[in-house]
Amino acid sequence: MSEAEPIDLEVVESGFYFDSYGSAHFAAIVSNPNSSWAAENIHVTVAARDSDGNVVDTLDDYITLMFPDGQTAICGDMGAPDSTASLDVTASVGSSGWTKQDITQKDFYDQLPIENITESVDEWGETTVAGEIANNTEGTFSGTRVQVVFRNADGGIVGGTYTYVNGELAPGSTAPFSTISQEVPEHASVEAYVDCGWPMTE
């Protein structure tokens, strides 16, 4: 059943870790519960809070696009103070950011699959996650971003990182990507999500 008005996006899980330089590396899963509303220009706010719940720092980020009935990730890092006890991630969409769409987030991911994901750790402890994105749509995208989520053996989020695809992602093309992270905690799995970026027009 189609909603008359869009329902707010939900951040359904998140996690982060600190490196020895004081940066917090976070990942959060954002869900679009709507069956027919897509969201564009999604504003993400990450608030670092101390043990009393007080905000000690903030970071603004964005997700370009989410189709109905699915999930995506937002990952990044921020120089949070030592007093940070938790990160609170929220996602909001302006009134002009909602459009009716017939395809779901899964349909869209099927057209922009992330393939051949590999993970390796070098002798200096740097973790590299690499893979490829295939563009099976008819559109060209700029600023395509890959969000990488690290999970522990229980399935909880340990943290995350991200990278951008170099150049434009053209129809019928496959683009490689890789991320390099330091001091990633022990984890059992890695998953990647694509934020397609901005469609290019003639």
Side-chain angles (χ1 to χ4, degrees), residues 1-6 36-37 100:
M1 180 177 177
S2 175
E3 304 91 354
E5 298 293 334
S36 59
W37 290 97
K100 288 275 192 175

Side-chain angles (χ1 to χ4, degrees), residues 151-157 188:
R151 290 186 180 273
N152 61 27
D154 295 327
I157 294 177

